[in-house]
Amino acid sequence: LKRERNAVVLAHNYMTPDIFYGVADLRGDSLQLARMAADTDADVIVMAGVHFMAETAKILSPDKTVLIPDERAGCSLAESITAADIEQLRAEHPGAPVCVYVNTSAEVKAAADITCTSSNAVDVVDSLGTDKVLFLPDRYLAQWVASQTDVEIIAWHGACEVHERFTGEELRAYREADPEIQIIAHPECPPDVLAEARDPAT
């Protein structure tokens, strides 16, 4: 069927091994997958991921058909904010630009002034040339960005339920069990996790 439809199957890093290694043509993170799919000659993109990932693939490949295998595949972070929420925040903070994380719905991206990734978030915020930025929706990524810039960051209360499962206490226990362990944490993790991920010698 994949050959008949000239389809390409994308699998996010979170997928189970049978999908990630057994079915997928392209593997990676959400934005990376959308970019890779846009570079193919496929007519159909099958996104083994959540809704916002499929929407991002469609944004980058407007002439391709994009399918998502499970309509229930949601994301706690992306679902934490709507375009109406952004409108309300703009009213509360007039003139402040809205920067949204790429892990958001197409509706939210369209309501924002600019979109960023976790790796370029600080540069994007600084590029806006303002004293205050609404940074949405991940509160932990917003806290991390605030620690890296002089711009006042107004955060939303969204979070990734997967990243919130990790705790600093858990990581301290790992380090106690193996002092040589190297801990790597995404800036979407809570501050106590990021603190434990830093090299204690620095």
Side-chain angles (χ1 to χ4, degrees):
L1 182 60
K2 184 169 69 173
R3 288 192 296 270
E4 289 174 10
R5 295 287 303 274
N6 188 28
V8 61
V9 176
L10 317 183
H12 188 264
N13 292 326
Y14 289 173
M15 290 297 105
T16 54
D18 55 333
I19 296 172
F20 193 80
Y21 296 108
V23 179
D25 300 298
L26 302 172
R27 304 163 190 85
D29 205 358
S30 55
L31 180 58
Q32 176 192 15
L33 286 171
R35 288 173 169 164
M36 289 191 297
D39 289 337
T40 71
D41 60 0
D43 296 315
V44 177
I45 297 169
V46 180
M47 172 60 82
V50 298
H51 276 279
F52 83 78
M53 297 177 193
E55 290 180 345
T56 302
K58 184 64 176 178
I59 290 169
L60 296 187
S61 300
D63 297 328
K64 299 179 191 290
T65 298
V66 179
L67 305 175
I68 185 166
D70 187 346
E71 292 183 355
R72 300 166 300 171
C75 166
S76 59
L77 177 60
E79 292 166 7
S80 73
I81 193 164
T82 66
D85 295 323
I86 292 178
E87 184 177 350
Q88 178 62 39
L89 287 167
R90 285 189 188 276
E92 295 171 6
H93 304 276
V98 176
C99 177
V100 297
Y101 189 27
V102 70
N103 292 5
T104 49
S105 69
E107 173 194 54
V108 166
K109 288 182 180 74
D113 296 305
I114 196 164
T115 303
C116 71
T117 67
S118 56
S119 61
N120 71 11
V122 175
D123 290 338
V124 169
V125 165
D126 286 341
S127 77
L128 296 172
T130 60
D131 295 332
K132 180 166 65 174
V133 171
L134 295 164
F135 189 92
L136 318 168
D138 191 288
R139 66 178 176 269
Y140 299 122
L141 182 57
Q143 288 174 12
W144 181 80
V145 170
S147 75
Q148 306 294 310
T149 181
D150 293 329
V151 176
E152 180 186 359
I153 300 296
I154 306 300
W156 185 244
H157 54 72
C160 168
E161 62 186 350
V162 175
H163 290 103
E164 283 193 308
R165 291 181 186 171
F166 302 102
T167 66
E169 182 179 358
E170 177 185 24
L171 298 184
R172 282 191 294 278
Y174 290 147
R175 197 181 299 283
E176 288 170 8
D178 180 2
E180 300 299 316
I181 195 170
Q182 294 293 312
I183 299 174
I184 301 170
H186 193 279
E188 281 182 57
C189 291
D192 63 330
V193 171
L194 295 183
E196 288 298 326
R198 295 191 183 99
D199 184 349
T202 60

PDB file of all heavy atoms in Angstrom, residues 147-165:
ATOM      1  N   SER A 147      16.474  32.369  31.909  1.00  0.00           N
ATOM      2  CA  SER A 147      17.782  32.312  32.577  1.00  0.00           C
ATOM      3  C   SER A 147      18.934  32.614  31.637  1.00  0.00           C
ATOM      4  O   SER A 147      20.061  32.829  32.076  1.00  0.00           O
ATOM      5  CB  SER A 147      17.988  30.929  33.212  1.00  0.00           C
ATOM      6  OG  SER A 147      18.275  29.948  32.219  1.00  0.00           O
ATOM      7  N   GLN A 148      18.640  32.661  30.329  1.00  0.00           N
ATOM      8  CA  GLN A 148      19.694  32.848  29.330  1.00  0.00           C
ATOM      9  C   GLN A 148      19.632  34.215  28.639  1.00  0.00           C
ATOM     10  O   GLN A 148      20.443  34.490  27.759  1.00  0.00           O
ATOM     11  CB  GLN A 148      19.581  31.754  28.242  1.00  0.00           C
ATOM     12  CG  GLN A 148      19.566  30.333  28.764  1.00  0.00           C
ATOM     13  CD  GLN A 148      20.866  29.928  29.415  1.00  0.00           C
ATOM     14  OE1 GLN A 148      21.937  30.121  28.837  1.00  0.00           O
ATOM     15  NE2 GLN A 148      20.800  29.398  30.616  1.00  0.00           N
ATOM     16  N   THR A 149      18.658  35.054  29.006  1.00  0.00           N
ATOM     17  CA  THR A 149      18.480  36.334  28.320  1.00  0.00           C
ATOM     18  C   THR A 149      18.099  37.418  29.323  1.00  0.00           C
ATOM     19  O   THR A 149      17.633  37.128  30.427  1.00  0.00           O
ATOM     20  CB  THR A 149      17.377  36.209  27.233  1.00  0.00           C
ATOM     21  OG1 THR A 149      17.229  37.462  26.552  1.00  0.00           O
ATOM     22  CG2 THR A 149      16.037  35.821  27.836  1.00  0.00           C
ATOM     23  N   ASP A 150      18.281  38.678  28.921  1.00  0.00           N
ATOM     24  CA  ASP A 150      17.864  39.815  29.743  1.00  0.00           C
ATOM     25  C   ASP A 150      16.419  40.226  29.453  1.00  0.00           C
ATOM     26  O   ASP A 150      15.866  41.098  30.121  1.00  0.00           O
ATOM     27  CB  ASP A 150      18.787  41.013  29.503  1.00  0.00           C
ATOM     28  CG  ASP A 150      20.193  40.758  30.018  1.00  0.00           C
ATOM     29  OD1 ASP A 150      20.327  40.011  31.012  1.00  0.00           O
ATOM     30  OD2 ASP A 150      21.152  41.285  29.416  1.00  0.00           O
ATOM     31  N   VAL A 151      15.804  39.609  28.450  1.00  0.00           N
ATOM     32  CA  VAL A 151      14.427  39.922  28.087  1.00  0.00           C
ATOM     33  C   VAL A 151      13.488  39.351  29.154  1.00  0.00           C
ATOM     34  O   VAL A 151      13.678  38.231  29.631  1.00  0.00           O
ATOM     35  CB  VAL A 151      14.088  39.322  26.706  1.00  0.00           C
ATOM     36  CG1 VAL A 151      12.622  39.561  26.347  1.00  0.00           C
ATOM     37  CG2 VAL A 151      15.006  39.895  25.632  1.00  0.00           C
ATOM     38  N   GLU A 152      12.469  40.128  29.528  1.00  0.00           N
ATOM     39  CA  GLU A 152      11.463  39.621  30.460  1.00  0.00           C
ATOM     40  C   GLU A 152      10.590  38.605  29.738  1.00  0.00           C
ATOM     41  O   GLU A 152      10.002  38.904  28.694  1.00  0.00           O
ATOM     42  CB  GLU A 152      10.592  40.762  30.989  1.00  0.00           C
ATOM     43  CG  GLU A 152       9.521  40.296  31.957  1.00  0.00           C
ATOM     44  CD  GLU A 152       8.562  41.393  32.374  1.00  0.00           C
ATOM     45  OE1 GLU A 152       8.736  42.556  31.929  1.00  0.00           O
ATOM     46  OE2 GLU A 152       7.601  41.086  33.127  1.00  0.00           O
ATOM     47  N   ILE A 153      10.524  37.414  30.279  1.00  0.00           N
ATOM     48  CA  ILE A 153       9.751  36.343  29.660  1.00  0.00           C
ATOM     49  C   ILE A 153       8.440  36.150  30.414  1.00  0.00           C
ATOM     50  O   ILE A 153       8.439  35.893  31.618  1.00  0.00           O
ATOM     51  CB  ILE A 153      10.550  35.012  29.660  1.00  0.00           C
ATOM     52  CG1 ILE A 153      11.866  35.163  28.878  1.00  0.00           C
ATOM     53  CG2 ILE A 153       9.703  33.875  29.100  1.00  0.00           C
ATOM     54  CD1 ILE A 153      11.695  35.457  27.406  1.00  0.00           C
ATOM     55  N   ILE A 154       7.335  36.282  29.695  1.00  0.00           N
ATOM     56  CA  ILE A 154       6.013  35.987  30.243  1.00  0.00           C
ATOM     57  C   ILE A 154       5.664  34.581  29.780  1.00  0.00           C
ATOM     58  O   ILE A 154       5.555  34.318  28.578  1.00  0.00           O
ATOM     59  CB  ILE A 154       4.956  36.996  29.749  1.00  0.00           C
ATOM     60  CG1 ILE A 154       5.402  38.434  30.028  1.00  0.00           C
ATOM     61  CG2 ILE A 154       3.599  36.680  30.379  1.00  0.00           C
ATOM     62  CD1 ILE A 154       5.625  38.755  31.480  1.00  0.00           C
ATOM     63  N   ALA A 155       5.504  33.672  30.729  1.00  0.00           N
ATOM     64  CA  ALA A 155       5.302  32.257  30.409  1.00  0.00           C
ATOM     65  C   ALA A 155       3.843  31.841  30.525  1.00  0.00           C
ATOM     66  O   ALA A 155       3.042  32.504  31.184  1.00  0.00           O
ATOM     67  CB  ALA A 155       6.166  31.390  31.325  1.00  0.00           C
ATOM     68  N   TRP A 156       3.529  30.740  29.912  1.00  0.00           N
ATOM     69  CA  TRP A 156       2.239  30.080  30.022  1.00  0.00           C
ATOM     70  C   TRP A 156       2.423  28.889  30.954  1.00  0.00           C
ATOM     71  O   TRP A 156       3.545  28.565  31.336  1.00  0.00           O
ATOM     72  CB  TRP A 156       1.789  29.647  28.627  1.00  0.00           C
ATOM     73  CG  TRP A 156       0.417  29.056  28.510  1.00  0.00           C
ATOM     74  CD1 TRP A 156       0.108  27.781  28.140  1.00  0.00           C
ATOM     75  CD2 TRP A 156      -0.834  29.709  28.707  1.00  0.00           C
ATOM     76  NE1 TRP A 156      -1.249  27.600  28.110  1.00  0.00           N
ATOM     77  CE2 TRP A 156      -1.856  28.776  28.459  1.00  0.00           C
ATOM     78  CE3 TRP A 156      -1.194  31.014  29.101  1.00  0.00           C
ATOM     79  CZ2 TRP A 156      -3.218  29.080  28.573  1.00  0.00           C
ATOM     80  CZ3 TRP A 156      -2.539  31.319  29.222  1.00  0.00           C
ATOM     81  CH2 TRP A 156      -3.532  30.374  28.956  1.00  0.00           C
ATOM     82  N   HIS A 157       1.350  28.195  31.309  1.00  0.00           N
ATOM     83  CA  HIS A 157       1.437  27.105  32.284  1.00  0.00           C
ATOM     84  C   HIS A 157       1.538  25.721  31.660  1.00  0.00           C
ATOM     85  O   HIS A 157       1.392  24.716  32.342  1.00  0.00           O
ATOM     86  CB  HIS A 157       0.236  27.152  33.230  1.00  0.00           C
ATOM     87  CG  HIS A 157      -1.088  27.162  32.512  1.00  0.00           C
ATOM     88  ND1 HIS A 157      -1.593  26.052  31.872  1.00  0.00           N
ATOM     89  CD2 HIS A 157      -1.979  28.159  32.324  1.00  0.00           C
ATOM     90  CE1 HIS A 157      -2.758  26.366  31.320  1.00  0.00           C
ATOM     91  NE2 HIS A 157      -3.015  27.629  31.578  1.00  0.00           N
ATOM     92  N   GLY A 158       1.799  25.645  30.360  1.00  0.00           N
ATOM     93  CA  GLY A 158       1.860  24.349  29.693  1.00  0.00           C
ATOM     94  C   GLY A 158       3.115  23.561  30.037  1.00  0.00           C
ATOM     95  O   GLY A 158       4.122  24.114  30.481  1.00  0.00           O
ATOM     96  N   ALA A 159       3.036  22.247  29.838  1.00  0.00           N
ATOM     97  CA  ALA A 159       4.185  21.381  30.076  1.00  0.00           C
ATOM     98  C   ALA A 159       3.975  20.059  29.359  1.00  0.00           C
ATOM     99  O   ALA A 159       2.842  19.663  29.069  1.00  0.00           O
ATOM    100  CB  ALA A 159       4.393  21.134  31.569  1.00  0.00           C
ATOM    101  N   CYS A 160       5.074  19.375  29.110  1.00  0.00           N
ATOM    102  CA  CYS A 160       5.037  18.032  28.536  1.00  0.00           C
ATOM    103  C   CYS A 160       4.934  17.033  29.682  1.00  0.00           C
ATOM    104  O   CYS A 160       5.806  17.005  30.554  1.00  0.00           O
ATOM    105  CB  CYS A 160       6.305  17.778  27.721  1.00  0.00           C
ATOM    106  SG  CYS A 160       6.520  16.051  27.254  1.00  0.00           S
ATOM    107  N   GLU A 161       3.902  16.214  29.669  1.00  0.00           N
ATOM    108  CA  GLU A 161       3.706  15.267  30.763  1.00  0.00           C
ATOM    109  C   GLU A 161       4.834  14.251  30.863  1.00  0.00           C
ATOM    110  O   GLU A 161       5.119  13.735  31.944  1.00  0.00           O
ATOM    111  CB  GLU A 161       2.362  14.548  30.620  1.00  0.00           C
ATOM    112  CG  GLU A 161       2.233  13.707  29.365  1.00  0.00           C
ATOM    113  CD  GLU A 161       0.840  13.121  29.200  1.00  0.00           C
ATOM    114  OE1 GLU A 161       0.039  13.209  30.154  1.00  0.00           O
ATOM    115  OE2 GLU A 161       0.555  12.583  28.115  1.00  0.00           O
ATOM    116  N   VAL A 162       5.502  13.970  29.761  1.00  0.00           N
ATOM    117  CA  VAL A 162       6.627  13.028  29.788  1.00  0.00           C
ATOM    118  C   VAL A 162       7.814  13.654  30.508  1.00  0.00           C
ATOM    119  O   VAL A 162       8.427  13.040  31.380  1.00  0.00           O
ATOM    120  CB  VAL A 162       7.013  12.592  28.362  1.00  0.00           C
ATOM    121  CG1 VAL A 162       8.259  11.709  28.394  1.00  0.00           C
ATOM    122  CG2 VAL A 162       5.858  11.851  27.697  1.00  0.00           C
ATOM    123  N   HIS A 163       8.146  14.903  30.166  1.00  0.00           N
ATOM    124  CA  HIS A 163       9.284  15.558  30.811  1.00  0.00           C
ATOM    125  C   HIS A 163       9.042  15.779  32.302  1.00  0.00           C
ATOM    126  O   HIS A 163       9.978  15.767  33.098  1.00  0.00           O
ATOM    127  CB  HIS A 163       9.590  16.895  30.125  1.00  0.00           C
ATOM    128  CG  HIS A 163      10.167  16.734  28.751  1.00  0.00           C
ATOM    129  ND1 HIS A 163       9.438  16.929  27.616  1.00  0.00           N
ATOM    130  CD2 HIS A 163      11.408  16.370  28.343  1.00  0.00           C
ATOM    131  CE1 HIS A 163      10.196  16.702  26.558  1.00  0.00           C
ATOM    132  NE2 HIS A 163      11.394  16.364  26.964  1.00  0.00           N
ATOM    133  N   GLU A 164       7.782  15.974  32.671  1.00  0.00           N
ATOM    134  CA  GLU A 164       7.469  16.205  34.087  1.00  0.00           C
ATOM    135  C   GLU A 164       7.608  14.949  34.941  1.00  0.00           C
ATOM    136  O   GLU A 164       7.595  15.022  36.158  1.00  0.00           O
ATOM    137  CB  GLU A 164       6.048  16.754  34.237  1.00  0.00           C
ATOM    138  CG  GLU A 164       5.933  18.216  33.874  1.00  0.00           C
ATOM    139  CD  GLU A 164       4.613  18.803  34.317  1.00  0.00           C
ATOM    140  OE1 GLU A 164       3.560  18.215  33.988  1.00  0.00           O
ATOM    141  OE2 GLU A 164       4.635  19.854  34.986  1.00  0.00           O
ATOM    142  N   ARG A 165       7.756  13.803  34.320  1.00  0.00           N
ATOM    143  CA  ARG A 165       7.910  12.559  35.078  1.00  0.00           C
ATOM    144  C   ARG A 165       9.281  12.457  35.746  1.00  0.00           C
ATOM    145  O   ARG A 165       9.451  11.723  36.707  1.00  0.00           O
ATOM    146  CB  ARG A 165       7.703  11.350  34.165  1.00  0.00           C
ATOM    147  CG  ARG A 165       6.274  11.179  33.699  1.00  0.00           C
ATOM    148  CD  ARG A 165       6.139   9.966  32.817  1.00  0.00           C
ATOM    149  NE  ARG A 165       4.794   9.879  32.256  1.00  0.00           N
ATOM    150  CZ  ARG A 165       4.437   9.025  31.318  1.00  0.00           C
ATOM    151  NH1 ARG A 165       5.323   8.164  30.850  1.00  0.00           N
ATOM    152  NH2 ARG A 165       3.202   9.013  30.862  1.00  0.00           N
TER     153      ARG A 165
END
